Amino acid sequence: MQEFNQYQTPCHVYDLNLLRQTLNVVQTESKKYNFKVHYALKANTNEKVLAIISSFGLGADCVSGNEVKTAILNGFAADEVVFAGVGKSDEEIRESLEANIFCFNCESYEELEVINEIAGELQTTARVALRLNPNVDPETHEYISTGLSFNKFGFSQAELERFFENRTQFSSLEVIGVHFHIGSQIRTDQPFINLCKAVNFYLGLFEENGIHVQNINLGGGLGINYEEPDREPIPDFANYFQIIHENLSYCEDQQVHFELGRSIVGQCGNLLTRILYRKENGDRNFLIVDAGMNNLLRPALYNSYHKIERLSSGRNGLRQKYDVVGPICESSDCFGKGIELEDSKRGDLLSIRSSGAYGQSMELNYNLRDRAKVYYLGE
Ligand code: LLP
């Protein structure tokens, strides 16, 4: 507590020991089944965080040329980098081929044509996995649901048929796998079971068309407990990998991959903020804090819940309900409505919990605001 008082706010605070403990569990549980886990950089690209994750031997899942470069610069092996995304530019493709990454997760027939052409120009062979759209409902927020047939992601059945018909034309491609990602913040087993059923169907389809894929990438999506982060600081990776192992029909010569983001870094970060002002409008008590939606966009963008706690010690035991809002000129700049906290005032410190994933990485400079400072525990 003392040390938090010295921090300049707003600030992201990372618990690096929790990150290490989480990674230990990820590696222990995934290795039981010989699964390969890639860290989805989009969740957090803080360099200290990346250095620790790469030191545990995870691969990287990237969605832009800059993420590919950042991964390699921060210790991830190029031959363990996968590159996904519906809109890879020619330059990003060229640079990733030159870096000799493990695999492109391709999202459309036209993208296969472009990668094939660029690989041909560079006189190399591109390893690709086809991202298939399995039409599985992840039962999560619609903005982070990606595996339904009307989402923009992945090959449709029709495009896949076209690939089977014309696959001999792609002389500079080696199709080494299939890729899926149905969505994010998935907190129940059923969507993953449904995903496995869909993957089993597609593996059969590939076999029927004479392709025995070597790599099966199931993407990410395992959720975290935003309501009670201290009850579940490390997600239940044992259950997750077991569910996949039990429901996926794969052979010994097929490598199963994952791209986990939120579940690895989500609980390791909190956003600390100080109360600037307190005021009443209508029947509401507002706490106006020095962090804004530019520092943590999730509540404004997805109406998502982050637990808010007071770090300053209690003063009179009284509790009140507050709307905790930021300084930005948008009504959506709100971290929580009707949040019950001890009587709070200007200068008190609050912690907005579970911001390690999609917090700092989605930070903006809207209103020309500064980025939040960053501090580390357990360095
Ligand atoms: N693989 C692919 C292809 C993805 O699109 C994503 C996330 C992941 C892996 C990692 O998913 P995770 O394990 O983190 O669920 N900004 C949103 C989340 C967007 C997720 C986008 N894709 C949020 O703050 O909730």
Side-chain angles (χ1 to χ4, degrees):
M1 177 59 220
Q2 276 323 82
E3 64 189 309
F4 292 150
N5 280 327
Q6 329 270 315
Y7 291 173
Q8 283 182 52
T9 54
C11 60
H12 301 286
V13 181
Y14 292 111
D15 181 345
L16 301 180
N17 281 332
L18 177 58
L19 177 60
R20 292 185 193 99
Q21 286 161 16
T22 307
L23 287 161
N24 256 325
V25 177
V26 170
Q27 290 300 67
T28 309
E29 296 302 329
S30 60
K31 282 184 176 159
K32 282 185 185 163
Y33 311 105
N34 195 27
F35 290 162
K36 175 75 197 173
V37 178
H38 301 253
Y39 167 62
L41 264 81
K42 62 174 81 66
N44 191 315
T45 46
N46 176 291
E47 291 189 355
K48 286 207 170 138
V49 168
L50 290 183
I52 292 176
I53 298 175
S54 62
S55 76
F56 274 76
L58 279 78
D61 161 44
C62 301
V63 285
S64 70
N66 286 341
E67 280 195 2
V68 171
K69 286 181 207 157
T70 301
I72 295 170
L73 271 176
N74 286 281
F76 291 92
D79 63 2
E80 296 199 340
V81 169
V82 295
F83 182 10
V86 285
K88 302 177 190 78
S89 73
D90 293 17
E91 196 185 343
E92 289 176 316
I93 294 168
R94 191 165 290 116
E95 287 178 354
S96 301
L97 280 170
E98 282 163 356
N100 202 15
I101 63 164
F102 174 59
C103 177
F104 292 84
N105 292 334
C106 281
E107 303 249 1
S108 66
Y109 189 87
E110 198 166 4
E111 186 190 329
L112 282 182
E113 292 180 318
V114 172
I115 297 183
N116 184 55
E117 194 182 314
I118 297 175
E121 280 164 23
L122 295 176
Q123 297 184 331
T124 185
T125 303
R127 286 173 296 274
V128 299
L130 303 192
R131 177 170 182 176
L132 306 174
N133 187 324
N135 197 22
V136 169
D137 187 352
E139 299 166 17
T140 185
H141 191 287
E142 63 169 319
Y143 286 9
I144 51 176
S145 159
T146 48
L148 287 165
S149 54
F150 53 79
N151 293 133
K152 67 179 174 180
F153 300 97
F155 274 70
S156 62
Q157 194 80 19
E159 284 216 324
L160 183 57
E161 295 297 337
R162 197 170 155 211
F163 163 72
F164 287 140
E165 278 161 31
N166 301 319
R167 69 190 164 101
T168 50
Q169 290 175 16
F170 297 106
S171 54
S172 301
L173 296 186
E174 188 189 354
V175 177
I176 62 161
V178 284
H179 174 236
F180 302 83
H181 173 76
I182 55 171
S184 199
Q185 183 54 13
I186 300 170
R187 291 278 290 156
T188 53
D189 295 343
Q190 199 56 47
F192 293 120
I193 296 172
N194 295 345
L195 169 63
C196 288
K197 287 186 188 150
V199 176
N200 295 343
F201 163 79
Y202 278 105
L203 291 176
L205 199 62
F206 272 68
E207 296 285 345
E208 279 168 29
N209 282 275
I211 306 177
H212 179 68
V213 296
Q214 298 137 36
N215 296 279
I216 306 165
N217 184 336
L218 300 182
L222 179 64
I224 62 169
N225 190 339
Y226 283 102
E227 282 74 26
E228 292 298 340
D230 293 328
R231 234 189 259 165
E232 210 181 324
I234 300 178
D236 193 350
F237 292 103
N239 175 63
Y240 172 63
F241 292 125
Q242 189 184 338
I243 293 274
I244 301 293
H245 174 70
E246 284 171 0
N247 289 280
L248 189 70
S249 304
Y250 62 106
C251 310
E252 257 185 26
D253 66 342
Q254 290 175 313
Q255 175 70 61
V256 180
H257 300 254
F258 295 85
E259 302 168 341
L260 297 174
R262 188 190 317 266
S263 52
I264 292 177
V265 289
Q267 299 292 27
C268 306
N270 298 309
L271 177 65
L272 265 51
T273 183
R274 239 174 258 283
I275 298 170
L276 290 172
Y277 303 103
R278 179 170 71 172
K279 72 175 190 180
E280 286 171 28
N281 267 9
D283 59 352
R284 300 289 176 92
N285 288 313
F286 286 95
L287 295 178
I288 299 156
V289 298
D290 62 3
M293 63 191 269
N294 71 302
N295 304 117
L296 177 64
L297 191 57
R298 303 191 71 258
L301 191 59
Y302 316 109
N303 204 16
S304 49
Y305 176 82
H306 285 258
K307 188 169 188 175
I308 302 177
E309 290 172 347
R310 239 174 70 106
L311 293 183
S312 304
S313 46
R315 88 176 38 85
N316 53 17
L318 283 179
R319 294 183 77 80
Q320 286 223 47
K321 285 200 170 165
Y322 297 102
D323 285 9
V324 179
V325 300
I328 289 180
C329 311
E330 304 259 354
S331 290
S332 60
D333 185 23
C334 173
F335 292 112
K337 290 198 169 118
I339 306 296
E340 198 181 300
L341 295 170
E342 260 189 78
D343 192 25
S344 296
K345 66 166 183 20
R346 176 174 167 82
D348 286 351
L349 204 51
L350 301 181
S351 177
I352 305 178
R353 303 292 310 274
S354 316
S355 61
Y358 307 109
Q360 194 185 356
S361 67
M362 290 176 76
E363 210 165 27
L364 309 168
N365 76 335
Y366 184 41
N367 286 191
L368 288 186
R369 281 171 50 84
D370 290 328
R371 291 190 160 232
K373 303 271 182 293
V374 185
Y375 298 95
Y376 304 92
L377 306 173
E379 253 187 295

